[in-house]
Amino acid sequence: MEDLGTYAENTWCPGCGNFAILNAFKAAIGRLEEQGIGRDRIVLVAGIGQHGKIFDYMNVSGFYGLHGRSMASAQAIKLANPDLKVVDFVGDGDALGEGLEHTIFAAKRNADITMILHDNGVYALTTGQYTPTSARGYRGPSTPTGTVEDPIHPLPLMLEAGASFIARGYSGELEHLTDLMVQAVLHEGFSFVDVLQPCVTFNNTWREYNQLVEITDRTATTPEEARAIFSRTDRLPIGVLYRRDDVPFHRRLYEDFNPVRDKEPREARQRRVAQFLGVPEEPEREYKGPRERP
Amino acid sequence: MERDVFTFIVGGKAGEGVKKSGSVAASILADLGRNIFQMDDYQSLIRGGHNFSVVSSSTGPITSHHLRAQLIVNLDERSYHLHRQEVAEDGILVYNSDVMSEAEGIGLPMTSEAKKFPRPDLRVGVASITVLAAALGLDMDYVEEVIAREYKRDLENNVAYASRIFELARPKIGGRFPLERGNATGKAIYGAEAIALGALAGGLDLYMAYPMTPSSPILHFLAAQGRPFGVHALHLESEVSVANMAVGASFAGARVAVGSSGGGFALMAEAFSLAGMMEAPVLFILASRSSPSTGVPTYTEQADLKFAISVGHGDFPRVVACPGTVEEAFYLTADLLGLAWRFQSPVILLTEKHLGESAMNVSLDPFRATWAEPVLHSDVGGGPLSTPSLGALEPAQEDGYRRYRFTDSGVSPLLFPPSSQVIKWNSYEHDEYGITTDQPEPTARMHEKRYRKRQAIIEHLRGTKTVNVYGEGGPVIFSYGSSTMSVLEALRTGGIQATVVQPTYLEPFPVWELERYRGSNPIVVEQSVAGQFSALIREQAGVSSDRFIRRYDGRPFEPSELAQQIKEMM
Ligand SMILES: Cc1ncc(C[n+]2csc(CCOP(=O)(O)OP(=O)(O)O)c2C)c(N)n1
Ligand code: SF4
């Protein structure tokens, strides 16, 4: 999958959990192609942060959006052309801080996009401040004596918001993570993948995760079951933890219509406007060239 | 020769169907072949308070409401007191005798008659238009026709009620205003509808908004009427989302527009810069309300001009234009959508409540609307799934697609996913392929590429109409936006000869058309306490002046008052 890389210089720290996410996605694209989803149909969207650099490192089409707002842009890419498979790589500060509103609404709508959360519990790019998922007491440059806030738990949050596919992966389990990404992209509806991503520079959690992470095959199909899995603190189960079939946003809006593909040509559209206005219609009316304004 | 302006005012509480009565009155006057102008005045509340609708009409052109009315129908007591001074000499004031006694004018028991039917408070609006029809000398058969057309719901009761009111009104006012018929053509539409229809005729695919008066009518119109056109209007979670979604939709090839008013547009500012950086073609519609912050939500002003031309961080080109009439709003919206796609830039259609929520009959030719088309890269891989639009094709590049290819015009050919080529849109500074960079040379070159588009836009605008000039001789009057309609009507009302100059484009500012007015010391008419427009023409085109007419109480200019002010300055 070498051709999936670019000439951009990789500036992640050696040992960063982001590498596994990048490599898993490259492998996932290969697997998706085997299943008939060509890389030309995949659009990579990214938020702003260390995680977002994946945009520069992947040789696929993409949209490097604003901090916290890439969730909104990703939904619209899907709405404009539902034939595309949209995968949004976001940070925990990005998607759960600045962009929480859009994350919740994407889940609420069951937008057919995949959101991959690089969950490192820290604002890495801006040098180590606490994020919405940092543990209480986290010390960073903006909270030198420790944050007094409790963390947000993204899995139950996404469940209540309405996500139809909820998974957790780990940067230390590359094969497993690849498989989660493939399933998430294939799922029709809002797919949320929380990736436990150690940041060796500001929040090194490799050792802790290596002890706690446990691969599970158990996929909840009801919210109650899912809550039971999410609430475990002794172990950190990874896998597809919850899944439900539901009609995605673009189909609720317009079934199989595709605004870009199914657009009517100029003649037809302007004729409709003329009809609406009751403008007398000449048959075979031709475009008369630019109008001269009075 | 005296102009034959006939004005009808209906006033009442919110919830009494006042605006609807105004529209129906407009359709009655339009049935007589008269040109009409309707303005709705309402408060930001759902029940109670005071609403009124003014419909002025003439056999000749008319571009403003008049407040001196021949016929005023007041459904409640407050309206009676607020409008009684507005009755023209030989005009008639009709009041609801059930809600007040001992009033001047003609009382009709609108409420007690309505109480003979279910939902009486919803019915009084029908009384107002029945009174109008009677006063115009039209017969009950015609009133029935109008009711069948406009008040379909609960038709029988409405007709029965109207017949009672008609019988009571006819002996008192029947045929008092035998109006001359005209030969006006065109459907009466609101400015907001003209904007929405212009966007439809220009190739719109998606409209996104978060409700905010006075931009909401565009959202409502497209939500209700868009589907047969294949156009979907989405009400999203916030203006922040709206603007970021719009940029995303344009990446995928959809022609997209968004709309808001001051506070909501302020929230779009970050994504406005994103559109500038990504070179995303997005049409932003900014419908101004009155005053800063939440302001006076349902009233009008022109104080967002400087905000519109300077919104966003960092240098990048944009286009800002403001329609002067309902007719211009239609064509200009399509033009702007086209400019957005031609130059891959964010563009702003700046307008105001007064234009958006005033209706007039206009003759439009949708086949003359600009159609939004991009310059496409010729390698459109991906087969039939690619965008069907056929813009001019650029030759394929041997070394792969470069989204931000350096060109003389600054415009790089577009390509949409799915494509065999890699397409990268980047909010960070980037190289030609769209990969992030912070190096000095590529940063400077990309800045220059983007900024070259401003010159390309100017060259394009030089070949089009950017300034409307009405009349000749007399003093020069500068105005823009909906104030232009007020000025033109004031000139007709006051019999004043003048040259009205209305720049439609505000950024890039058409200095090439305006420099000739240097030294003309124009009268500058605008709705802004700070005089943003007079400052703009002075700063940009060197046209300075010491004659200003400004209004900033949230109300549009009234033509006879404005005519008086202009005369005093001449
Ligand atoms: C509106 C806005 N506010 C702040 C920033 C600065 N900023 C850049 S990255 C970042 C935090 C990134 O943290 P996270 O999303 O957790 O990603 P990570 O770097 O950890 O991958 C912030 C605050 C910005 N780019 N835009
Ligand atoms: S700072 Fe943290 S997140 Fe960023 S590359 Fe280094 S280890 Fe990874």
Side-chain angles (χ1 to χ4, degrees):
Chain A
M1 285 296 132
E2 256 323 291
D3 57 334
L4 275 171
T6 67
Y7 56 85
E9 184 195 352
N10 192 308
T11 57
W12 283 329
C13 312
C16 172
N18 280 330
F19 285 104
I21 300 176
L22 172 67
N23 291 328
F25 191 52
K26 286 182 178 173
I29 287 184
R31 298 243 320 257
L32 287 165
E33 292 203 305
E34 282 163 21
Q35 306 214 27
I37 297 176
R39 69 184 68 172
D40 57 332
R41 275 172 61 198
I42 294 174
V43 173
L44 186 161
V45 181
I48 300 293
Q50 288 286 60
H51 64 273
K53 293 176 177 174
I54 194 169
F55 170 91
D56 285 328
Y57 305 154
M58 287 286 309
N59 194 31
V60 291
S61 291
F63 185 102
Y64 206 162
L66 291 178
H67 186 53
R69 312 299 176 199
S70 68
M71 287 313 296
S73 305
Q75 290 174 64
I77 293 169
K78 181 73 187 184
L79 285 178
N81 185 346
D83 294 326
L84 300 172
K85 293 282 182 189
V86 183
V87 186
D88 191 6
F89 292 85
V90 298
D92 44 336
D94 173 60
L96 300 176
E98 191 94 43
L100 183 62
E101 167 194 16
H102 313 299
T103 302
I104 287 181
F105 272 82
K108 169 191 190 283
R109 297 181 178 122
N110 196 30
D112 186 18
I113 54 179
T114 297
M115 170 176 174
I116 308 231
L117 179 69
H118 297 230
D119 191 354
N120 57 7
V122 72
Y123 281 32
L125 188 61
T126 49
T127 67
Q129 300 88 349
Y130 84 105
T131 69
T133 62
S134 301
R136 182 161 172 172
Y138 176 90
R139 287 166 194 260
S142 62
T143 53
T145 55
T147 165
V148 294
E149 297 172 32
D150 289 321
I152 284 176
H153 297 292
L155 302 179
L157 181 73
M158 288 294 92
L159 178 74
E160 303 308 334
S164 56
F165 178 105
I166 299 176
R168 179 157 54 198
Y170 174 41
S171 290
E173 294 287 351
L174 187 103
E175 293 270 311
H176 183 257
L177 184 57
T178 305
D179 188 55
L180 291 184
M181 286 181 179
V182 171
Q183 291 194 56
V185 172
L186 292 176
H187 174 78
E188 215 201 6
F190 185 72
S191 309
F192 173 69
V193 185
D194 182 23
V195 186
L196 304 172
Q197 177 242 315
C199 164
V200 291
T201 303
F202 298 112
N203 193 23
N204 194 342
T205 47
W206 282 118
R207 185 196 296 256
E208 179 195 339
Y209 285 153
N210 280 337
Q211 282 166 1
L212 292 176
V213 161
E214 183 178 274
I215 294 178
T216 176
D217 288 338
R218 230 181 102 199
T219 302
T221 51
T222 66
E224 293 70 35
E225 274 178 84
R227 282 184 206 111
I229 304 174
F230 298 164
S231 62
R232 286 188 62 173
T233 48
D234 53 331
R235 311 293 294 162
L236 283 171
I238 59 170
V240 181
L241 303 179
Y242 172 76
R243 164 173 222 158
R244 137 182 89 82
D245 287 329
D246 199 354
V247 185
F249 187 41
H250 66 277
R251 287 196 194 287
R252 295 186 203 184
L253 282 175
Y254 30 71
E255 295 177 350
D256 289 329
F257 179 75
N258 180 318
V260 169
R261 185 192 58 201
D262 302 334
K263 180 177 186 146
E264 279 189 328
R266 173 184 197 145
E267 273 293 309
R269 171 68 73 81
Q270 294 188 337
R271 190 165 308 231
R272 269 183 215 278
V273 176
Q275 274 161 5
F276 183 91
L277 285 167
V279 174
E281 230 192 291
E282 301 157 28
E284 305 298 312
R285 184 152 188 173
E286 268 169 48
Y287 174 52
K288 287 188 194 155
R291 144 196 55 83
E292 277 165 35
R293 258 189 263 129
Chain B
M1 191 192 89
E2 271 285 287
R3 285 180 73 217
D4 66 334
V5 174
F6 173 85
T7 295
F8 168 76
I9 294 181
V10 50
K13 298 192 195 66
E16 287 183 328
V18 169
K19 179 178 169 182
K20 174 76 183 175
S21 305
S23 297
V24 179
S27 78
I28 291 173
L29 291 160
D31 282 351
L32 296 176
R34 297 172 67 87
N35 289 301
I36 56 108
F37 188 99
Q38 178 191 351
M39 188 212 62
D40 301 321
D41 182 305
Y42 65 102
Q43 298 172 288
S44 185
L45 41 80
I46 306 301
R47 294 248 154 240
H50 174 64
N51 287 3
F52 68 98
S53 190
V54 191
V55 188
S56 292
S57 72
S58 169
T59 51
I62 185 161
T63 55
S64 173
H65 64 296
H66 291 246
L67 285 179
R68 196 123 302 259
Q70 281 65 41
L71 178 62
I72 302 184
V73 179
N74 297 302
L75 305 177
D76 70 336
E77 186 170 1
R78 189 184 331 213
S79 303
Y80 173 82
H81 291 296
L82 286 168
H83 294 295
R84 56 186 293 191
Q85 294 82 8
E86 289 162 355
V87 197
E89 277 171 55
D90 70 5
I92 305 176
L93 183 64
V94 177
Y95 64 92
N96 182 350
S97 58
D98 293 315
V99 294
M100 54 192 304
S101 51
E102 290 181 42
E104 285 167 43
I106 294 166
L108 292 173
M110 301 180 196
T111 305
S112 49
E113 286 298 330
K115 280 189 176 144
K116 297 176 182 163
F117 304 95
R119 314 284 313 269
D121 44 330
L122 293 182
R123 219 166 291 280
V124 285
V126 173
S128 66
I129 60 107
T130 308
V131 168
L132 171 67
L136 295 178
L138 304 166
D139 59 22
M140 188 55 212
D141 285 350
Y142 171 78
V143 175
E144 250 187 89
E145 241 174 71
V146 171
I147 290 176
R149 182 173 79 197
E150 307 275 3
Y151 292 97
K152 290 192 196 82
R153 220 183 295 160
D154 199 12
L155 179 64
E156 270 176 40
N157 285 334
N158 279 331
V159 170
Y161 174 63
S163 317
R164 275 299 292 153
I165 298 292
F166 195 83
E167 276 165 35
L168 294 169
R170 191 170 37 184
K172 298 179 178 165
I173 57 169
R176 283 276 285 275
F177 303 105
L179 292 188
E180 199 181 318
R181 286 176 183 261
N183 51 9
T185 51
K187 187 166 165 159
I189 56 172
Y190 283 94
E193 293 173 353
I195 291 168
L197 288 161
L200 290 175
L204 187 75
D205 298 313
L206 290 168
Y207 184 77
M208 301 169 178
Y210 184 82
M212 189 166 186
T213 306
S215 66
S216 296
I218 303 170
L219 170 65
H220 299 167
F221 180 87
L222 288 169
Q225 309 288 351
R227 276 180 181 237
F229 296 88
V231 173
H232 293 263
L234 304 176
H235 159 189
L236 300 165
E237 68 268 26
S238 68
E239 291 86 351
V240 177
S241 180
V242 162
N244 281 277
M245 279 222 193
V247 180
S250 71
F251 164 83
R255 314 295 187 262
V256 57
V258 305
S260 194
S261 175
F265 190 68
L267 285 176
M268 294 185 181
E270 190 196 17
F272 190 82
S273 289
L274 171 73
M277 180 57 134
M278 287 190 156
E279 306 190 32
V282 176
L283 169 60
F284 291 80
I285 298 167
L286 167 51
S288 299
R289 51 166 70 176
S290 168
S291 303
S293 184
T294 305
V296 194
T298 59
Y299 289 88
T300 200
E301 210 175 299
Q302 296 182 305
D304 294 337
L305 169 59
K306 291 227 160 171
F307 182 44
I309 61 181
S310 59
V311 63
H313 49 283
D315 289 327
F316 60 92
R318 89 275 307 275
V319 178
V320 181
C322 179
T325 63
V326 172
E327 184 183 1
E328 189 176 38
F330 174 84
Y331 294 112
L332 186 62
T333 307
D335 285 347
L336 287 178
L337 192 64
L339 282 178
W341 280 87
R342 186 174 181 134
F343 294 102
Q344 297 172 39
S345 272
V347 305
I348 299 175
L349 178 90
L350 174 66
T351 183
E352 321 91 1
K353 184 268 172 191
H354 183 54
L355 183 111
E357 300 196 25
S358 295
M360 53 192 297
N361 54 312
V362 284
S363 294
L364 299 171
D365 183 353
F367 300 98
R368 289 263 158 143
T370 304
W371 183 253
E373 263 175 301
V375 178
L376 285 177
H377 182 76
S378 64
D379 180 358
V380 216
L385 294 182
S386 301
T387 170
S389 172
L390 296 168
L393 294 183
E394 282 278 320
Q397 292 302 300
E398 280 150 35
D399 49 351
Y401 175 65
R402 282 177 278 167
R403 160 67 183 106
Y404 298 109
R405 187 156 68 82
F406 295 130
T407 59
D408 290 344
S409 65
V411 177
S412 315
L414 281 176
L415 195 56
F416 304 111
S419 165
S420 57
Q421 300 290 314
V422 170
I423 305 155
K424 283 183 175 287
W425 287 31
N426 196 338
S427 74
Y428 278 99
E429 191 56 277
H430 42 256
D431 64 14
E432 285 186 274
Y433 291 93
I435 299 272
T436 308
T437 185
D438 56 9
Q439 295 306 299
E441 201 255 359
T443 299
R445 284 195 72 190
M446 198 53 75
H447 256 306
E448 287 157 10
K449 167 210 148 50
R450 276 192 299 271
Y451 217 66
R452 270 203 296 283
K453 290 198 286 183
R454 187 167 190 274
Q455 199 50 45
I457 292 168
I458 288 173
E459 253 128 60
H460 171 79
L461 290 181
R462 275 176 176 276
T464 68
K465 189 113 183 149
T466 50
V467 177
N468 294 317
V469 180
Y470 298 92
E472 57 186 335
V476 174
I477 300 178
F478 264 73
S479 72
Y480 80 109
S482 62
S483 299
T484 313
M485 294 193 291
S486 310
V487 170
L488 294 176
E489 188 65 16
L491 300 184
R492 279 189 290 267
T493 302
I496 305 167
Q497 190 184 7
T499 306
V500 180
V501 183
Q502 177 232 331
T504 303
Y505 284 81
L506 302 163
E507 168 56 37
F509 199 57
V511 286
W512 57 91
E513 297 277 2
L514 298 176
E515 276 160 350
R516 73 186 69 144
Y517 298 104
R518 278 187 194 162
S520 67
N521 193 22
I523 299 171
V524 187
V525 181
E526 65 178 306
Q527 296 206 289
S528 148
V529 68
Q532 296 186 18
F533 179 60
S534 23
L536 185 76
I537 60 176
R538 187 185 61 243
E539 287 158 15
Q540 296 266 338
V543 180
S544 43
S545 168
D546 59 8
R547 299 193 287 177
F548 309 118
I549 299 176
R550 294 177 188 162
R551 186 163 188 172
Y552 33 80
D553 60 357
R555 274 59 181 173
F557 290 103
E558 205 283 328
S560 44
E561 273 173 36
L562 183 57
Q564 192 54 39
Q565 284 173 292
I566 292 172
K567 278 182 182 159
E568 280 162 20
M569 288 210 167
M570 279 164 67

